[in-house]
Amino acid sequence: MDRIRATYRITAGESESRVRAEALATEQSVEMPVGAIDDPHVLTDVLARVEAIRPHAGEFDVVLAIAPATTGNEAGQLMNMLFGNCSLQPEVELVDVELPEGFERAFPGPRFGIDGIRTVTGVKDRPLTCTALKPQGTPSAGLAKLARTFALAGIDVIKDDHGIANQAYAPFAERVPAVQRAVTQANQETGGRTVYAPTFSGGPRALAEQTRIAKDCGVKMALVAPMLIGLPSFFELQVDLDIPVMAHPAFGGAGRIAPPLLLGKLFRLFGADATIFPNHGGRFSFSKATCLAIADAARSPWHGLRGALPVPAGGMSVERVPEMVAGYGKDSMLLIGGGLLSAKDRLLERSREFVAAVRG
């Protein structure tokens, strides 16, 4: 296989399938009438080909063979060739991508992966625990106090809520050193190895400055929303940070890309060491099958890339821990935020209950 195979699901009548498939191939490669192209090289080596058309529950799937050279081996252009113009067609969904052998070397995937996160946290043979600093609007001192409580309880990873970025009430340069100090002090008291993952956000200059600050105060993990900062920026940022990166799914539902592909395969390809997704039965409408497919896409062997740690989240509770452990297994990170914070004065005790439930 010398081409990228991209599968699209199209909501249209089966009688239109061949015409729509050929139009899609043109739109996602040369973007002009094929009859107007005289260059044999473009027709042979650049124009996308229709590999298959398959009926699917009243719709149909189209598999296109896309020339890798058209991607320029760059994250943004790869997404452009996969789903650029056709993302503007509401009846088209990108559902899967397979890569030709060797193409993945342009995007080496997770730098740390599951094993690297286990090394940083010291967690060997169980799921990891994770929580979030909330709510947005809390000043830096309040977030640091909250982080200390979570660290004293023994939670493995404490991340910023993804909405906490660089706002005036808790700016990155003030918040991150304060929270990291609180976590470090708690670890010294307990002998634990809790890790803090602040949110990185903004444009290239802001990200570079946040990277400098994080390195100066010893941050060991990062939280990034790839779709908010842009996939090319995400790819470069995780290389510059040189610490495990958790990918947040915010804005990931704005396009019609199947969640197992975007949150599992593509985030992993571009360097996510862990991928957060809305677990079934919580605040979001993902099905159990979709959630398990995301976890499988993140962890399963794929072109020799390290596996990314699946992080089910979104309205979870301590009571659901046994179910989540049974469903996702030991190579997972269970994230409970508001479900712990609801305990208020019993936050430390409730957090310890979470830790105990996961440790069994």
Side-chain angles (χ1 to χ4, degrees):
M1 186 176 74
D2 62 349
R3 288 201 170 201
I4 300 165
R5 262 62 177 185
T7 302
Y8 306 83
R9 185 154 297 151
I10 302 178
T11 303
E14 191 173 346
S15 61
E16 304 175 55
S17 60
R18 173 54 63 177
V19 172
R20 290 302 310 273
E22 296 291 351
L24 188 66
T26 301
E27 195 66 54
Q28 285 305 118
S29 55
V30 294
E31 197 182 347
M32 65 176 290
V34 175
I37 300 173
D38 296 326
D39 189 337
H41 160 68
V42 173
L43 292 171
T44 302
D45 301 325
V46 176
L47 178 65
R49 299 192 298 258
V50 177
E51 291 276 308
I53 302 173
R54 298 188 290 260
H56 180 89
E59 304 169 317
F60 57 89
D61 289 353
V62 172
V63 180
L64 295 187
I66 297 170
T70 62
T71 71
N73 294 338
E74 185 268 314
Q77 180 61 10
L78 172 59
M79 294 304 297
N80 189 24
M81 300 312 298
L82 291 175
F83 203 52
N85 277 5
C86 69
S87 72
L88 303 173
Q89 298 171 333
E91 71 279 9
V92 179
E93 178 186 13
L94 176 64
V95 296
D96 200 11
V97 173
E98 288 301 330
L99 306 176
E101 194 66 35
F103 181 78
E104 77 284 352
R105 287 193 285 271
F107 308 98
R111 295 169 62 84
F112 297 88
I114 296 172
D115 291 341
I117 292 175
R118 289 194 178 282
T119 298
V120 169
T121 58
V123 176
K124 293 183 179 179
D125 197 32
R126 61 165 173 81
L128 284 82
T129 54
C130 181
T131 192
L133 302 179
K134 297 175 183 246
Q136 184 177 173
T138 306
S140 299
L143 295 172
K145 182 179 179 181
L146 190 59
R148 171 177 169 79
T149 300
F150 286 139
L152 289 174
I155 290 177
D156 300 311
V157 178
I158 302 168
K159 74 172 189 67
D160 282 341
D161 183 65
H162 80 278
I164 298 175
N166 194 33
Q167 295 94 341
Y169 41 74
F172 190 97
E174 173 189 271
R175 178 185 83 253
V176 172
V179 173
Q180 184 60 56
R181 281 194 301 272
V183 171
T184 299
Q185 290 167 2
N187 283 340
Q188 291 170 347
E189 293 177 31
T190 64
R193 293 177 62 174
T194 296
V195 172
Y196 168 49
T199 300
F200 290 74
S201 64
R205 283 180 292 184
L207 292 170
E209 177 62 8
Q210 290 166 16
T211 298
R212 183 194 65 76
I213 293 168
K215 288 184 175 182
D216 285 349
C217 60
V219 165
K220 294 183 172 62
M221 192 174 290
L223 176 73
V224 186
M227 301 303 284
L228 293 180
I229 69 166
L231 290 170
S233 292
F234 174 72
F235 177 70
E236 293 180 2
L237 175 65
Q238 55 87 20
V239 174
D240 293 340
L241 281 169
D242 198 29
I243 54 177
V245 175
M246 302 173 67
H248 193 280
F251 207 55
R256 292 168 313 285
I257 304 177
L261 172 59
L262 180 63
L263 307 183
K265 280 187 173 181
L266 292 176
F267 280 7
R268 176 185 178 186
L269 179 68
F270 296 141
D273 300 287
T275 182
I276 302 172
F277 58 92
N279 194 31
H280 59 94
R283 302 197 313 270
F284 301 87
S285 59
F286 280 18
S287 68
K288 181 177 181 181
T290 294
C291 293
L292 293 177
I294 293 170
D296 186 62
R299 294 182 300 203
S300 293
W302 192 48
H303 293 283
L305 300 178
R306 293 182 180 90
L309 198 66
V311 187
M316 296 300 98
S317 65
V318 175
E319 287 73 23
R320 290 194 63 186
V321 164
E323 170 203 339
M324 290 191 288
V325 172
Y328 295 108
K330 68 175 184 178
D331 281 335
S332 60
M333 182 188 297
L334 309 185
L335 171 53
I336 304 178
L340 299 181
L341 293 166
S342 297
K344 296 186 177 180
D345 292 342
R346 292 192 62 255
L347 179 61
L348 179 61
E349 291 77 10
R350 190 59 167 161
S351 298
R352 284 174 171 162
E353 290 170 5
F354 174 35
V355 170
V358 174
R359 292 181 179 179

